[in-house]
Amino acid sequence: MTKTIAVIGGTGNEGPGLAMRWAKSGKYRVIIGSRQQEKAERVAAELNARLGKDLIRGMVNPEAAAAADLVVLTVPYSAQAPTLHSIRSALRGKILVDATVPLQPPKVSRVYVPPGGSAAAETQALLGDEVRVVAAFQNVGAAHLREPDHPIDCDVLVCGDDKEAKAEAIALAEAAGMRGLDAGPLQNAVVVEGLAAVLIAINKRYKVKGAGIKITGLESARTSSE
Amino acid sequence: MTKTIAVIGGTGNEGPGLAMRWAKSGKYRVIIGSRQQEKAERVAAELNARLGKDLIRGMVNPEAAAAADLVVLTVPYSAQAPTLHSIRSALRGKILVDATVPLQPPKVSRVYVPPGGSAAAETQALLGDEVRVVAAFQNVGAAHLREPDHPIDCDVLVCGDDKEAKAEAIALAEAAGMRGLDAGPLQNAVVVEGLAAVLIAINKRYKVKGAGIKITGLESARTSSE
């Protein structure tokens, strides 16, 4: 059965590119969620026009979450808690992939450790045990994400306490054209989230746009989801 | 003038390989520090035998720090504070490169955020403003470090609040055969230190020994220290 993904906050910086890649892979049905129905539909229509097929639907966030098997959260840190409250009742029993990067503008090249340990840990605390939270996709630069055939030279580090949920996120990374790697428990999300600020610092310092990270030393290992 | 480096705790896991690479580069005079004079001398002699030249000296930690222009700390987190107290008076006005990884055995594949924000921030707080602390070398696997001609497929991310001190650490990385990158302020050390636990998690999960990280997307940039 083809699973349905909802990309909550999917009209922002990161969501549209991921949505387009997942739709194009043929492995998922994709819904873009937004606070406004009209905006969700407009962005979905734009992406479908680029894809040349009507693959992506647009809905308000709570409806998108309710219609999905897998929910991906791509909102700014400041919108994380209110957005989760708005979709909470639709998440019970599901997997939530949290791509939130805890930044404190304007100092976006400084690592910020949220009071709850990490943005993803705060999400897990807010949602409780009935939702399996995994942290992933924080370090994927938006630069080439919307060109679905453009290779992305960045690994997706996946942190979580549930093996099956991590495997789903790793499969999502692969469907979007990246390598997904199990980076340990949800507790490790503080590092993977904070890497986004480090990469912004590197972008500024070396005057580049899309610094990413790759894990080395895995050549001899099986890296696919098992 | 050739600078002298002291590798404090240089008889441990990480220190000997770095010491050997810096000595071999011909760019530095190198002293290995240990709590015991005899052990420092023995390890220095072993490394000199491998190098085929008497390039490295061994001293007790406080003497090594006093004799050096640049001090590199390579001790386990549990030894960090006592070691710093023992060399503190010799550090005034100098640069300290802190390679400490805050791990909490036996859970070494879980990121641990120290109460002071990071191990390096705790070092800076302990030493005060008269010492410029930079964080670096936490993610270099010891596996091939003692084979000075073996390439190390890992970048050295350098965090600090002093530009000149960061440039020194970047030069040290390059002298040891790695790429050093300015990764932002000392506040970012929490991520670079925590990456060590993430890499241990990846080593375990994928049954490899030396997972490392490389920053991608810098191809068009100047990456040498300016």
Side-chain angles (χ1 to χ4, degrees):
Chain A
M1 197 199 75
T2 307
K3 283 179 179 159
T4 299
I5 311 171
V7 185
I8 303 300
T11 58
N13 208 17
E14 203 82 2
L18 288 171
M20 196 158 49
R21 285 171 178 254
W22 289 325
K24 192 166 189 252
S25 76
K27 292 176 181 158
Y28 302 95
R29 293 198 181 85
V30 180
I31 304 167
I32 276 193
S34 170
R35 276 177 299 178
Q36 299 158 286
Q37 175 80 28
E38 194 193 339
K39 193 174 178 190
E41 286 179 3
R42 189 180 72 233
V43 172
E46 283 168 15
L47 298 179
N48 285 331
R50 286 219 232 167
L51 289 165
K53 280 185 198 171
D54 272 358
L55 296 173
I56 302 174
R57 287 177 292 165
M59 296 182 185
V60 288
N61 284 327
E63 285 178 21
D69 305 297
L70 270 172
V71 179
V72 182
L73 185 67
T74 60
V75 296
Y77 182 55
S78 57
Q80 184 190 38
T83 305
L84 287 171
H85 280 292
S86 78
I87 62 173
R88 184 175 184 172
S89 61
L91 295 178
R92 201 167 297 159
K94 295 181 183 173
I95 291 166
L96 179 78
V97 179
D98 192 349
T100 307
V101 174
L103 294 176
Q104 283 208 312
K107 296 191 172 178
V108 293
S109 58
R110 287 178 173 261
V111 173
Y112 168 69
V113 178
S118 67
E122 291 179 340
T123 292
Q124 184 71 73
L126 189 152
L127 296 175
D129 287 346
E130 289 179 328
V131 182
R132 286 173 288 169
V133 175
V134 287
F137 296 106
Q138 304 92 338
N139 301 309
V140 182
H144 297 295
L145 212 54
R146 296 189 198 201
E147 305 154 52
D149 297 316
H150 197 293
I152 303 281
D153 198 16
C154 189
D155 287 334
V156 174
L157 300 181
V158 177
C159 300
D161 295 332
D162 182 274
K163 205 175 169 180
E164 190 193 336
K166 283 198 274 196
E168 291 279 10
I170 289 168
L172 284 174
E174 288 172 359
M178 288 166 280
R179 181 172 67 169
L181 293 172
D182 181 343
L186 198 66
Q187 191 175 327
N188 290 2
V190 60
V191 162
V192 181
E193 294 172 1
L195 262 175
V198 169
L199 292 174
I200 291 169
I202 289 173
N203 280 341
K204 284 191 185 177
R205 172 66 181 76
Y206 296 102
K207 299 181 174 60
V208 296
K209 282 189 174 168
I213 65 143
K214 291 281 271 185
I215 301 297
T216 60
L218 290 176
E219 293 70 23
S220 61
R222 292 180 59 191
T223 55
S224 65
S225 51
E226 288 167 76
Chain B
M1 196 201 73
T2 306
K3 284 180 180 159
T4 298
I5 312 172
V7 185
I8 302 301
T11 60
N13 208 18
E14 202 83 1
L18 289 170
M20 197 157 49
R21 285 171 177 254
W22 289 325
K24 192 164 188 254
S25 77
K27 293 176 181 157
Y28 302 95
R29 292 197 183 86
V30 179
I31 304 168
I32 277 194
S34 171
R35 276 177 299 175
Q36 299 159 285
Q37 174 81 30
E38 194 194 339
K39 193 175 179 189
E41 286 179 5
R42 190 180 72 234
V43 172
E46 283 167 16
L47 299 178
N48 285 331
R50 285 219 233 169
L51 289 165
K53 279 185 199 172
D54 273 358
L55 295 173
I56 301 174
R57 286 178 292 165
M59 295 182 185
V60 290
N61 284 326
E63 286 178 20
D69 305 297
L70 269 171
V71 179
V72 181
L73 184 68
T74 60
V75 295
Y77 181 57
S78 57
Q80 184 190 37
T83 306
L84 287 171
H85 281 293
S86 79
I87 62 173
R88 184 175 184 171
S89 61
L91 295 178
R92 202 166 295 159
K94 294 180 183 172
I95 291 166
L96 179 79
V97 180
D98 192 350
T100 306
V101 175
L103 294 176
Q104 283 208 314
K107 296 189 172 178
V108 294
S109 58
R110 287 177 173 262
V111 173
Y112 169 68
V113 177
S118 67
E122 291 179 341
T123 292
Q124 185 71 71
L126 190 153
L127 296 174
D129 287 345
E130 289 179 329
V131 182
R132 287 172 287 168
V133 175
V134 287
F137 297 105
Q138 305 92 337
N139 300 309
V140 181
H144 298 293
L145 212 52
R146 296 188 197 202
E147 305 153 54
D149 297 316
H150 197 293
I152 304 281
D153 198 15
C154 188
D155 287 335
V156 173
L157 300 182
V158 177
C159 301
D161 295 330
D162 182 274
K163 204 175 171 181
E164 189 193 337
K166 283 198 276 195
E168 291 279 12
I170 288 168
L172 284 175
E174 289 171 359
M178 289 166 278
R179 180 172 68 168
L181 293 172
D182 181 345
L186 198 65
Q187 191 175 326
N188 290 2
V190 60
V191 161
V192 181
E193 293 172 1
L195 262 175
V198 170
L199 293 174
I200 291 170
I202 289 173
N203 281 341
K204 284 190 184 177
R205 173 64 182 78
Y206 295 102
K207 299 181 175 60
V208 296
K209 282 189 175 169
I213 65 143
K214 291 281 270 186
I215 301 296
T216 59
L218 290 176
E219 293 69 24
S220 60
R222 290 179 60 190
T223 55
S224 64
S225 51
E226 287 167 77

